[in-house]
Amino acid sequence: MNLPNPIQRLIDHFEQLPGIGPKTAQRLVFYMLRLPKESLQAFGSNLAELKNDVKLCSICRNVSEGEVCKICSSSIRNKDLIAVVSSPLDMLALERANFEGVYHVLHGVINPLAHIGPDDIYIDSLIKRLVDIDPQSFSPVEVLLATNTSMEGESTAMYISKLIRDKGFSEDVVKITRIARGLPVGGDIEYADDVTLSRALSARSSF
Ligand SMILES: [Zn+2]
């Protein structure tokens, strides 16, 4: 069936979004046709302004409304604990887990197959942050590498860890940690894959 062009155009837009197939796209557009004009206009202008109103925090590269994001400008966050994450969504996951430090958002991981090298993600700005650390400071800054445990996430963590040492930051100035890997809560040992289980064993802690 040939749909009117304005409807078809919108369906095509929705179909480009992740997780939305042709049927869902159609359902969404026909649902929107029933909404009041004002709410569609608000939706449209919010969409149009999305890229204009959101920038990246000059310190941590997290999405932000202002020059510096709310987390970096908060006085109650532990600025000596920096979690390095690959995306703002991972940052949100750590927020839900009540992480009390600050973040550095890479916006990707090193992935040679997809032609993403170290210069294509925000590793440089992480090093620049570390340069600003007061060498006389009482305790080291902790860089917690919280990238995924996928192959790309692992190699990105390894790259950053090596780079920090290569740049001359000693353990007294920058302590590097990696998120613990192991079984998910409620996970069944019997069904865990070998890699997960061997990591769970090597990351065992006292009880
Ligand atoms: Zn920030």
Side-chain angles (χ1 to χ4, degrees):
M1 185 191 125
N2 261 348
L3 289 165
N5 269 328
I7 294 182
Q8 189 57 53
R9 278 201 299 265
L10 207 51
I11 290 175
D12 294 344
H13 279 300
F14 275 115
E15 266 197 71
Q16 290 172 16
L17 299 175
I20 297 196
K23 278 189 180 164
T24 308
Q26 285 175 7
R27 213 174 302 137
L28 287 170
V29 173
F30 280 98
Y31 174 81
M32 292 182 106
L33 268 176
R34 299 203 307 265
L35 292 177
K37 212 173 172 180
E38 302 74 51
S39 83
L40 285 183
Q41 258 155 2
F43 185 76
S45 68
N46 285 337
L47 205 55
E49 292 304 313
L50 183 65
K51 281 276 206 176
N52 297 332
D53 292 344
V54 177
K55 43 188 136 203
L56 297 185
C57 168
S58 61
I59 299 173
C60 72
R61 309 293 158 174
N62 182 16
V63 285
S64 173
E65 261 189 271
E67 187 66 20
V68 175
C69 78
K70 282 180 183 154
I71 293 175
C72 286
S73 42
S74 160
S75 59
I76 56 167
R77 307 293 293 228
N78 179 4
K79 305 271 163 65
D80 291 335
L81 174 57
I82 305 172
V84 178
V85 292
S86 62
S87 78
L89 289 174
D90 291 348
M91 189 261 330
L92 288 177
L94 263 73
E95 281 296 285
R96 286 195 295 274
N98 298 319
F99 177 71
E100 81 276 17
V102 291
Y103 298 94
H104 193 84
V105 186
L106 297 171
H107 293 273
V109 281
I110 299 170
N111 185 351
L113 288 179
H115 306 289
I116 301 170
D119 295 338
D120 299 317
I121 57 178
Y122 289 102
I123 293 179
D124 235 30
S125 50
L126 172 66
I127 302 296
K128 288 202 183 95
R129 276 175 87 170
L130 300 178
V131 171
D132 292 335
I133 297 171
D134 177 9
Q136 308 300 324
S137 151
F138 190 65
S139 59
V141 164
E142 179 176 347
V143 171
L144 164 60
L145 299 168
T147 49
N148 283 336
T149 54
S150 62
M151 214 165 73
E152 293 79 21
E154 281 295 336
S155 55
T156 304
M158 261 148 57
Y159 178 87
I160 294 173
S161 159
K162 188 174 178 299
L163 185 66
I164 290 173
R165 294 293 173 243
D166 285 353
K167 293 279 179 187
F169 298 101
S170 68
E171 277 177 56
D172 302 331
V173 182
V174 180
K175 180 178 155 191
I176 304 170
T177 54
R178 179 87 173 103
I179 43 164
R181 292 144 288 191
L183 293 172
V185 172
D188 227 323
I189 290 177
E190 188 184 344
Y191 300 118
D193 65 277
D194 299 351
V195 180
T196 303
L197 197 53
S198 79
R199 278 173 180 165
L201 287 172
S202 60
R204 67 186 181 276
S205 55
S206 53
F207 190 67

